[in-house]
Amino acid sequence: MKRSLFNTKQEQNYKTPKNIIESLTKEFGFLYDPCPLNNDITKFDGLKTNWFSPVFCNPPYNNISEWVKKIVEQYNKGIKPIILLCFVRTDTKYFHDLIMPCKPELRFIKGRLKLVIS
């Protein structure tokens, strides 16, 4: 069965490609992940905890607005840097109302990122 990230009824646990994690770790050091895979097993909910720096967040895309709200909350508490891996959707309300006011450094990955199904 073909899976699509745009279909929110599909599986939401996708691993970030190893080369992306390695590159970010090299630049920023150890990265705290508030969205660990298999959180149904660990019962960990990154939306209900305080974070520590630096943060790498590859959230489930079916709940992206709630994760962006949490990112802004933690950012305003001094948790920096926060690296968010998300679709480039500059037309969305959350992008303009939540992300842009933080004056983020934006980086774009050339080509289509191939996430790994867990």
Side-chain angles (χ1 to χ4, degrees):
M1 175 173 81
K2 186 176 180 180
R3 295 183 181 192
S4 169
L5 289 177
F6 296 104
N7 183 345
T8 59
K9 293 181 182 178
Q10 296 291 338
E11 178 65 40
Q12 292 293 309
N13 287 330
Y14 291 89
K15 292 181 185 176
T16 306
K18 187 176 179 180
N19 66 316
I20 300 292
I21 293 293
E22 287 173 350
S23 175
L24 292 170
T25 300
K26 184 177 180 179
E27 182 175 353
F28 297 102
F30 172 77
L31 298 170
Y32 169 70
D33 182 1
C35 306
L37 290 177
N38 303 317
N39 63 2
D40 57 314
I41 295 170
T42 63
K43 303 297 184 205
F44 176 81
D45 186 350
L47 289 173
K48 295 180 181 175
T49 63
N50 287 315
W51 299 355
F52 57 88
S53 302
V55 174
F56 171 74
C57 188
N58 180 2
Y61 297 129
N62 64 345
N63 194 16
I64 189 74
S65 292
E66 290 304 308
W67 282 97
V68 172
K69 287 176 190 173
K70 179 68 174 189
I71 286 167
V72 171
E73 169 196 297
Q74 295 298 296
Y75 179 86
N76 289 334
K77 288 183 176 181
I79 304 299
K80 300 170 188 171
I82 298 175
I83 298 104
L84 169 64
L85 180 65
C86 66
F87 291 115
V88 178
R89 292 188 175 153
T90 58
D91 61 329
T92 62
K93 184 172 176 62
Y94 76 81
F95 183 82
H96 287 278
D97 293 350
L98 300 171
I99 294 176
M100 288 309 293
C102 293
K103 297 182 177 30
E105 174 185 331
L106 301 174
R107 297 183 186 182
F108 300 96
I109 297 171
K110 186 176 182 180
R112 185 170 292 253
L113 181 64
K114 296 194 180 7
L115 298 173
V116 181
I117 297 173
S118 63

